[in-house]
């Protein structure tokens, strides 16, 4: 049985909320006692309850098709509250499980800021080593981005592989990328992350020749050379340059298709939001797109474009984008910039948020932070609160109060989808040029184009052709100038 003095359980007699708020202690403590209480909080790693992975049966392991790594999670609790720190670690647990790991333990350390040498401090690193030995873990995952020095020193202490949140997310992206462009974007992001973290040991690093003292080949072999790390770095930089050229070529093809849609004045709707908020499920409900739906983070990496129709018959395009997450690695934002530009060019952004999440406001803020990184500001945004069938009504009401445009839906039950489609219709730009046309009977393609991209007000069949009064977009009005009738006629 753990004693009260156990550093892993310094406050067993208090609830998390009491620790977080200081209820029952701070109100009656002197300044010296409060300082002592603060020090007590910092003295040990705090286990986070409910953090271990519970596998239902062996088929779940078989489904993952890989050997489960046994991992321990560790986070640093700085400025945020304890509840927020534990929520972040719960999200890290979901990321680790998505990558195919089995989570054995999760701990957080109270600090003003991460230790510059070992992330959690050398003493706590040794405590973490004891947890690793006790649980039989083979990997430690840190809830933050570690510097190369922190990574190396922490590994030297705990004696198992250490990765950070960035490397974990990159690994998930690498597993889920399917298209050629998606794979190239993920590989570029991984190399950007890897480049400053290359390291090695001993003579394997050096290809420079030296004299007899250095064990070299002597006269004729000395001079400028290139170490193995320098060679690896050069190869990585060359590969990164090639990937950037390939991605630029792929984005050119997407830009061409986007410009073609603009020329035909087809409005575009982009579905964006936090990972696992239900974006793909919503797209399938609205368009029968058949996109992969999985209860896992980052199940969708490759953008999917589908055709949609407003209730009044106007066509538009639906684009499903990659999900976001708090502290999304900047390497990924940069690598996926060409894909994320779909958000900036959209006529309407459906920002999907998980209504059942305990803090949907934080999800909204994380996604908008990525929007700002790619320069997507000022676009029309409709907040779509999904999973309302299991959401807390108080949370939903707070979102309705805080956001100007909100639609409540459940992609699972279909509730609210009709209202959502009407909201999309109201927010999309409408054709703004009135035209009166006389189209010959042998130009059915023109009539079809007017029906597809404009609003037909009236149709009359005459002996000279079809008389059409319609409202069309400006570019289409220019293309139809040859068929225009004078208003006086």
């Amino acid at each position: 049985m753990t004693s009260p003095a156990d550093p892993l359980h310094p406050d067993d007699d208090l609830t998390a909320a009491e620790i977080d708020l200081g209820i029952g202690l701070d109100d009656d403590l002197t300044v010296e006692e409060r300082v002592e209480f603060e020090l007590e909080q910092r003295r040990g790693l705090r286990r986070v309850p409910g953090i271990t992975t519970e596998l239902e049966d062996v088929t779940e392991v078989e489904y993952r098709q890989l050997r489960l790594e046994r991992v321990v999670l560790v986070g640093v609790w700085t400025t945020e509250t304890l509840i927020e720190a534990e929520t972040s670690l719960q999200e890290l647990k979901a990321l680790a499980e998505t990558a195919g790991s089995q989570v054995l333990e999760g701990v957080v350390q109270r600090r003003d800021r991460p230790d510059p040498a070992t992330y959690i401090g050398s003493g706590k690193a040794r405590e973490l080593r004891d947890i690793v030995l006790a649980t039989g873990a083979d990997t430690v995952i840190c809830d933050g981005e570690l510097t190369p020095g922190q990574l190396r020193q922490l590994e030297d202490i705990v004696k198992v592989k250490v990765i950070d949140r960035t490397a974990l997310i990159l690994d998930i992206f690498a597993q889920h990328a399917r298209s050629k462009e998606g794979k190239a974007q993920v590989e570029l992001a991984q190399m950007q992350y890897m480049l400053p973290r290359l390291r090695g040991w001993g003579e394997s690093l050096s290809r420079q020749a030296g004299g007899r003292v250095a064990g070299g080949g002597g006269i004729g072999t000395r001079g400028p050379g290139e170490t193995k790390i320098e060679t690896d770095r050069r190869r990585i930089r060359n590969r990164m340059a090639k990937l950037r050229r390939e991605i630029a070529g792929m984005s050119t093809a997407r830009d061409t298709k986007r410009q073609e849609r603009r020329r035909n004045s087809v409005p575009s709707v982009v579905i964006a939001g936090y990972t696992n908020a239900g974006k793909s499920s919503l797209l399938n409900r609205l368009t029968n797109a058949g996109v992969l739906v999985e209860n896992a983070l980052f199940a969708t990496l490759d953008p999917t474009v589908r055709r949609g129709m407003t209730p009044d018959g106007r066509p538009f395009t639906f684009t499903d984008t990659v999900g976001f997450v708090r502290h999304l690695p900047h390497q990924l934002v940069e690598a996926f910039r060409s894909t994320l530009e779909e958000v900036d060019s959209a006529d309407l952004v459906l920002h999907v948020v998980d209504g059942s999440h305990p803090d949907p406001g934080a999800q909204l803020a994380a996604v908008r932070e990525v929007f700002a990184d790619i320069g997507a500001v000022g676009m029309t945004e409709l907040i779509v609160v999904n999973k309302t069938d299991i959401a807390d009504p108080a949370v939903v009401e707070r979102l309705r109060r805080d956001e100007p445009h909100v639609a409540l839906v459940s992609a699972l039950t279909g509730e609210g989808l009709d209202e959502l489609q009407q909201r999309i219709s109201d927010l999309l730009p409408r054709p703004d040029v009135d035209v009166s046309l006389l189209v010959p009977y042998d130009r059915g393609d023109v009539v079809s184009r007017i029906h597809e991209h404009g609003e037909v007000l009236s149709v009359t069949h005459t002996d000279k052709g079809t008389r059409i009064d319609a409202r069309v977009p400006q570019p289409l009005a220019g293309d139809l100038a040859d068929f225009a009738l004078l208003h006086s006629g």
Side-chain angles (χ1 to χ4, degrees):
M1 181 174 179
T2 305
S3 67
D6 187 337
L8 294 176
H9 297 272
D11 302 296
D12 283 347
D13 57 331
L14 298 175
T15 65
E18 288 172 335
I19 295 169
D20 189 21
L21 300 175
I23 295 173
L25 280 176
D26 286 9
D27 293 342
D28 301 322
L29 294 182
T30 65
V31 174
E32 292 78 8
E33 288 172 329
R34 289 184 185 184
V35 171
E36 181 63 27
F37 177 64
E38 177 72 12
L39 289 173
E40 183 68 22
Q41 282 191 307
R42 296 168 183 265
R43 282 174 185 153
L45 296 171
R46 182 188 307 278
R47 280 196 171 93
V48 178
I51 205 71
T52 58
T53 299
E54 298 293 340
L55 297 179
E56 294 181 1
D57 53 44
V58 70
T59 59
E60 193 170 342
V61 181
E62 294 170 349
Y63 169 75
R64 294 180 183 183
Q65 296 179 342
L66 47 84
R67 183 185 65 84
L68 289 176
E69 289 190 61
R70 296 162 58 84
V71 304
V72 170
L73 311 180
V74 57
V76 171
W77 164 29
T78 55
T79 57
E80 70 271 14
T81 66
L82 176 59
I83 294 175
E84 289 172 330
E86 292 186 351
T87 300
S88 181
L89 211 66
Q90 291 286 356
E91 183 175 270
L92 187 69
K93 170 180 176 283
L95 288 168
E97 291 173 344
T98 300
S101 300
Q102 181 182 359
V103 179
L104 304 177
E105 189 71 89
V107 294
V108 293
Q109 161 67 7
R110 178 75 168 91
R111 300 183 64 90
D112 290 332
R113 60 183 180 275
D115 181 72
T118 61
Y119 184 65
I120 57 175
S122 58
K124 299 304 173 291
R126 287 190 288 272
E127 288 183 38
L128 181 61
R129 169 63 178 163
D130 294 339
I131 295 175
V132 168
L133 287 173
T135 58
D138 50 35
T139 303
V140 170
I141 304 178
C142 298
D143 192 16
E145 183 168 340
L146 273 60
T147 65
Q150 288 173 324
L151 201 65
R152 180 172 61 254
Q153 294 192 50
L154 192 56
E155 271 190 351
D156 288 343
I157 295 174
V158 300
K159 305 300 183 184
V160 295
K161 180 174 69 176
V162 176
I163 65 173
D164 58 16
R165 184 187 182 94
T166 299
L168 176 61
I169 294 175
L170 289 172
D171 182 80
I172 295 171
F173 270 59
Q175 290 184 45
H176 289 183
R178 293 293 179 267
S179 69
K180 183 178 180 181
E181 183 176 14
K183 291 178 180 178
Q185 289 168 324
V186 172
E187 184 180 354
L188 176 60
Q190 287 180 314
M191 288 186 169
Q192 288 174 322
Y193 173 82
M194 185 193 313
L195 189 59
R197 290 169 173 80
L198 284 179
R199 59 193 177 99
W201 296 266
E203 294 180 356
S204 64
L205 287 183
S206 179
R207 288 177 180 162
Q208 292 177 330
R212 286 185 300 171
V213 175
I219 296 173
T221 64
R222 291 184 287 265
E226 186 176 42
T227 65
K228 184 175 185 299
I229 269 192
E230 288 170 345
T231 302
D232 291 341
R233 285 175 179 157
R234 175 170 50 80
R235 288 174 174 169
I236 287 178
R237 289 191 184 101
N238 290 341
R239 177 62 178 165
M240 287 168 61
K242 182 179 179 182
L243 287 170
R244 286 193 178 101
R245 289 193 298 269
E246 290 179 358
I247 293 171
M250 298 172 196
S251 65
T252 300
R254 190 188 305 106
D255 289 341
T256 302
K257 294 178 181 178
R258 188 186 304 149
Q259 291 170 6
E260 179 67 17
R261 293 196 296 267
R262 285 178 179 171
R263 190 180 70 83
N264 290 323
S265 300
V266 179
S268 62
V269 175
V270 166
I271 302 178
Y274 213 76
T275 183
N276 211 30
K279 298 182 299 299
S280 297
S281 298
L282 186 63
L283 180 66
N284 286 343
R285 272 284 190 173
L286 294 173
T287 66
N288 296 318
V291 177
L292 168 69
V293 173
E294 185 179 351
N295 185 25
L297 305 186
F298 303 116
T300 302
L301 292 189
D302 304 314
T304 302
V305 180
R306 292 292 185 268
R307 179 185 175 90
M309 192 75 69
T310 63
D312 56 358
R314 288 180 294 141
F316 62 93
T317 59
F318 260 126
T319 304
D320 189 15
T321 61
V322 62
F324 303 128
V325 71
R326 278 184 296 183
H327 311 303
L328 190 68
H330 63 88
Q331 297 95 339
L332 279 173
V333 175
E334 188 62 34
F336 278 76
R337 180 173 294 274
S338 60
T339 302
L340 297 175
E341 284 173 354
E342 293 280 354
V343 176
D344 190 28
S345 63
D347 294 294
L348 174 63
V349 175
L350 298 187
H351 187 161
V352 183
V353 62
D354 181 356
S356 65
H357 191 272
D359 190 7
Q363 292 191 347
L364 288 171
V367 174
R368 285 168 174 164
E369 184 179 337
V370 179
F371 285 172
D373 286 344
I374 61 175
V377 293
M379 65 279 184
T380 304
E381 184 182 25
L382 174 61
I383 304 300
V384 181
V385 183
N386 191 23
K387 307 182 185 180
T388 54
D389 53 314
I390 56 174
D392 183 347
V395 172
V396 173
E397 186 57 35
R398 186 168 65 249
L399 287 170
R400 294 186 67 172
R401 186 176 63 251
D402 295 342
E403 299 294 336
H405 301 292
V406 177
L408 308 179
V409 303
S410 170
L412 179 64
T413 65
E415 179 185 356
L417 293 182
D418 291 340
E419 179 187 351
L420 174 60
Q421 289 178 320
Q422 186 57 52
R423 295 292 297 277
I424 293 172
S425 178
D426 295 340
L427 292 171
L428 283 178
R430 290 179 172 273
D432 53 2
V433 179
D434 291 326
V435 294
S436 295
L437 308 170
L438 183 62
V439 183
Y441 286 121
D442 61 350
R443 293 304 305 272
D445 60 310
V446 174
V447 177
S448 176
R449 191 175 175 191
I450 296 169
H451 278 279
E452 184 175 1
H453 301 296
E455 292 183 52
V456 176
L457 305 178
S458 67
V459 177
T460 306
H461 298 288
T462 71
D463 55 350
K464 296 182 179 180
T466 304
R467 165 74 182 266
I468 300 177
D469 293 310
R471 187 173 291 117
V472 297
Q474 181 66 51
L476 181 55
D479 293 346
L480 299 175
D482 292 342
F483 305 99
L485 288 172
L486 295 178
H487 289 290
S488 59

